[in-house]
Amino acid sequence: MKKSLLTLALGSAFAIPAHAQSSVTLYGLIDTGLIYASNQQGHNSWQETSSATQNTVFGLKGTEDLGAGLKAVFKLEQGFLLNNGTQAFSGDGFGSQAWVGLESDRYGTVTLGRQYDVMNDLVGPLTAEVNTWGGSLAAHPFENDNLAANSVVIDNMVKYVSPIYHGLTVESMYAFSNKAGAFATNRSYGFAASYAMGPLNLAAGYLQFNNAGAGTGAAPTSDYSANFLAERQRVWSVAGSYTFGSALVGVAWSHTQMDNLGGVFSFGTGTYLGAADDASGSLNGSLRMDNFEINGKYGLTEAWSVSGAYTFTDGAYNGSSPKWHTGMLQTAYALSKRTDVYLESVYQIVHGAPEGSVLSHAMINTLGPSSSNSQLAVMVGLRHAF
């Protein structure tokens, strides 16, 4: 009897309160493999790498039913590099995502914290850059439009996501600088909308950064959240896709305008890239980049797929007209519902950029920059979701 009472007491002491309509889920994705690059800072290379197509992450997400169609929701997600175990976002405990909010069936969802922007949420999924059949390697030059696979995460954000109404979803966001006396320095805001009905998907959005990289704020450089150091960065984008049978085809356009550009920050190497435009060795002036993408995927069988994308990027910088051509091919085979292997190749070449500036060097996303105007990457990889 005493033993039974002791067991009951211990069980009660360590019991965790639970609700039938509440849940906490541990999840993750691992992407790793071997990659060959024809030129990284002047040298051919073979590397074991992580997160070349999709972010390698683990996280916790949960909901609590508050009644009357209202839920509390949260997500804590950490990105890491599998090959050495280091953080993908240096110094951040939950660098990929860290937010909490309220979700209403009728009125939509409001979340607060470190999150992906509205452009990445709604427009990115209609491009090759976000999807597993392309991913980060296929990003547009310098990831200039934030459409790649979750490479830029924004701090201090309040985001609103509407309910789906006849296929239409609307998002808006504002990310605070959190600086006393400098409200507009290193802040960000944007809005986007998507429409999905049957095989047709459409999306469009706008995103703006003010003084990204200026110390702490919405997009600091300390954890690689800022790709460009500029007084102002504005991005417009439109994308669409259509599915018929086992095939999907899509198109996308984005326009990125950087005013008073100070430099380019390479997420792949974590190194600030200077330039030779003036005596200070840094970029100056304004940079405009228009990205035109066509993409497609075809399922040869339920397990085996092939995909490809081509992006032409037309630029303008201080009287010059740099132009980038980026092509991607991938084939993937699913070993199970959660595990697949893939072979992907990306080639980029640039012409017309100012000689000696960082714009004249090809740089496939996640890799170090080439010392020339071209770069080729070939990767064989393994992905596992849990």
Side-chain angles (χ1 to χ4, degrees):
M1 183 65 177
K2 290 182 178 179
K3 184 175 182 181
S4 298
L5 289 174
L6 179 60
T7 302
L8 179 62
L10 289 173
S12 299
F14 291 98
I16 299 175
H19 192 285
Q21 294 181 330
S22 299
S23 67
V24 176
T25 303
L26 173 66
Y27 68 94
L29 174 68
I30 295 171
D31 175 15
T32 190
L34 301 177
I35 189 167
Y36 165 79
S38 63
N39 186 324
Q40 282 199 92
Q41 299 170 331
H43 303 282
N44 295 347
S45 65
W46 280 97
Q47 297 172 278
E48 181 186 343
T49 189
S50 178
S51 306
T53 62
Q54 301 292 299
N55 284 358
T56 295
V57 299
F58 69 91
L60 293 170
K61 59 182 178 180
T63 65
E64 181 188 9
D65 192 341
L66 303 176
L70 186 65
K71 297 177 181 178
V73 293
F74 78 91
K75 181 174 283 190
L76 300 172
E77 183 178 288
Q78 171 66 308
F80 64 99
L81 304 178
L82 188 74
N83 56 306
N84 58 19
T86 57
Q87 297 171 325
F89 298 91
S90 178
D92 292 344
F94 292 100
S96 292
Q97 297 185 75
W99 52 260
V100 65
L102 294 174
E103 177 183 311
S104 168
D105 295 339
R106 184 176 181 181
Y107 299 108
T109 304
V110 176
T111 52
L112 299 90
R114 180 174 168 85
Q115 306 174 65
Y116 297 122
D117 62 71
V118 295
M119 194 88 75
N120 196 278
D121 287 348
L122 298 186
V123 185
L126 303 187
T127 70
E129 290 80 67
V130 164
N131 291 283
T132 57
W133 47 268
S136 299
L137 276 174
H140 301 155
F142 303 106
E143 225 287 82
N144 68 85
D145 49 14
N146 278 32
L147 293 179
N150 306 327
S151 66
V152 174
V153 196
I154 301 176
D155 291 344
N156 313 325
M157 184 193 296
V158 179
K159 182 194 291 185
Y160 169 74
V161 181
S162 74
I164 300 174
Y165 182 75
H166 295 291
L168 179 67
T169 302
V170 176
E171 287 193 16
S172 61
M173 54 157 279
Y174 188 93
F176 292 83
S177 69
N178 279 6
K179 294 180 180 179
F183 183 81
T185 299
N186 201 347
R187 67 174 176 173
S188 178
Y189 53 88
F191 52 85
S194 68
Y195 175 79
M197 188 62 66
L200 178 65
N201 288 271
L202 302 171
Y206 174 78
L207 179 66
Q208 179 166 324
F209 294 94
N210 286 17
N211 299 108
T216 59
T221 57
S222 58
D223 62 3
Y224 319 146
S225 291
N227 279 344
F228 292 90
L229 307 183
E231 181 179 346
R232 182 173 62 175
Q233 178 182 353
R234 293 170 290 169
V235 185
W236 295 260
S237 66
V238 178
S241 68
Y242 193 86
T243 302
F244 48 96
S246 300
L248 177 147
V249 294
V251 293
W253 166 80
S254 65
H255 171 86
T256 302
Q257 179 72 40
M258 274 82 66
D259 301 324
N260 292 327
L261 180 66
V264 182
F265 194 82
S266 168
F267 177 80
T269 62
T271 306
Y272 179 78
L273 302 177
D277 286 358
D278 57 24
S280 68
S282 63
L283 292 168
N284 56 76
S286 297
L287 171 65
R288 184 263 299 163
M289 302 176 80
D290 283 284
N291 307 281
F292 303 88
E293 177 189 323
I294 182 170
N295 60 66
K297 177 189 176 185
Y298 182 72
L300 299 171
T301 67
E302 289 188 4
W304 186 18
S305 67
V306 293
S307 58
Y310 166 73
T311 299
F312 169 67
T313 302
D314 182 35
Y317 176 70
N318 282 6
S320 65
S321 300
K323 302 181 188 303
W324 292 261
H325 300 268
T326 307
M328 179 276 299
L329 289 173
Q330 187 199 94
T331 183
Y333 187 83
L335 303 175
S336 70
K337 291 183 178 180
R338 297 188 296 145
T339 303
D340 75 327
V341 292
Y342 64 90
L343 175 65
E344 181 166 339
S345 177
V346 178
Y347 178 73
Q348 185 181 103
I349 188 168
V350 56
H351 296 288
E355 188 66 29
S357 78
V358 297
L359 303 179
S360 67
H361 300 285
M363 189 183 77
I364 295 172
N365 196 38
T366 77
L367 300 180
S370 172
S371 63
S372 71
N373 70 332
S374 65
Q375 190 175 53
L376 170 69
V378 180
M379 179 173 181
V380 56
L382 171 68
R383 285 182 295 234
H384 175 74
F386 60 91

